[in-house]
Amino acid sequence: MNGQDNFSDESSIVIFMSGDCCPQSDGLNSKSAGTSHDGSSRRLASPRILLPAMTKGEGVLGPGQGVPQLQGGHRMELEAMCDHAHRLATVYKDFDSAILTYIEVIREDVSHVRALANLGALYHKKGELSNARVVYLRALQEEPYRSKTTYNLGRLEHESGHHDAARDMYERALLLDCDDITRCNSLAYLGLLQQEIFCDSEKA
């Protein structure tokens, strides 16, 4: 499967299908420069993400054992598990089962970006913002130039009232090689955020 799917409600949190976990489809060919939405080139520094390595036994992922070395067939099995979790979340709206499936994938491969990004999106969808933030940041630690995950994190910080962090994420998403939907959403919510900041300053 290729492409992407969005949750079909007002939150617009992005959940990724296979093919969205590759830098070519959601990132930059260069890890130091990007193109802004107006076509101009700008340098991008990697986001400063300082997190402990996410291993089995941490609260977000639950208890477990060590991480095995993955063979090609095993990787295909993990992608099939992600496809199954995607169907659980988007077709059957069974977020809890989808979360457990993504956690199983991450227990086998703690750097599986698609599973991390989607696990964060599902925690976000359920309102578990602390868990969502940890997992979004872990996904961006693995792949800093994921525009959709950057946008999702901006939404989370916006909802949490962290205006500066939200603005940084929206603006960063716009500088990355994002699709039209992510660009429009980032622009719209950035404008809404600026309006909220202005209104708050007027009340002060």
Side-chain angles (χ1 to χ4, degrees):
M1 290 185 294
N2 294 301
Q4 69 181 44
D5 192 13
N6 294 332
F7 287 120
S8 58
D9 70 356
E10 71 282 0
S11 64
S12 301
I13 303 305
V14 179
I15 185 167
F16 307 96
M17 298 173 68
S18 60
D20 275 345
C21 55
C22 301
Q24 294 92 331
S25 65
D26 188 27
L28 301 175
N29 293 328
S30 167
K31 293 200 171 184
S32 61
T35 302
S36 67
H37 57 279
D38 62 1
S40 60
S41 295
R42 291 185 58 178
R43 301 288 291 182
L44 282 176
S46 297
R48 287 173 291 183
I49 299 169
L50 301 176
L51 290 176
M54 187 178 288
T55 60
K56 295 175 147 186
E58 295 190 15
V60 175
L61 299 183
Q65 301 300 320
V67 180
Q69 295 294 319
L70 299 181
Q71 304 299 321
H74 195 180
R75 292 185 184 278
M76 292 178 64
E77 290 177 9
L78 296 184
E79 285 304 313
M81 290 174 67
C82 284
D83 291 342
H84 176 62
H86 180 270
R87 286 192 297 273
L88 287 171
T90 60
V91 176
Y92 300 105
K93 309 301 181 185
D94 186 353
F95 298 153
D96 290 337
S97 294
I99 284 172
L100 290 175
T101 304
Y102 284 126
I103 286 174
E104 287 301 314
V105 173
I106 297 165
R107 283 175 176 169
E108 296 298 320
D109 179 4
V110 294
S111 63
H112 198 290
V113 179
R114 179 189 173 197
L116 287 164
N118 282 350
L119 178 61
L122 289 173
Y123 278 139
H124 192 169
K125 178 75 172 176
K126 291 188 65 182
E128 299 181 25
L129 300 188
S130 295
N131 283 345
R133 181 182 288 107
V134 169
V135 184
Y136 281 153
L137 288 172
R138 184 69 178 91
L140 290 171
Q141 188 177 55
E142 290 296 326
E143 196 174 298
Y145 301 96
R146 291 186 66 86
S147 60
K148 300 178 185 71
T149 303
T150 302
Y151 160 76
N152 283 354
L153 182 56
R155 288 294 311 278
L156 184 152
E157 299 297 2
H158 193 164
E159 293 162 20
S160 301
H162 303 153
H163 289 170
D164 289 344
R167 181 172 53 221
D168 288 347
M169 291 297 103
Y170 290 147
E171 290 178 347
R172 182 176 179 81
L174 289 168
L175 291 174
L176 296 171
D177 187 18
C178 59
D179 59 27
D180 289 341
I181 293 174
T182 305
R183 181 176 294 108
C184 288
N185 285 341
S186 297
L187 282 169
Y189 281 100
L190 180 59
L192 178 63
L193 176 64
Q194 300 286 40
Q195 184 179 23
E196 291 172 359
I197 294 172
F198 176 79
C199 289
D200 288 346
S201 68
E202 287 291 296
K203 293 176 183 177

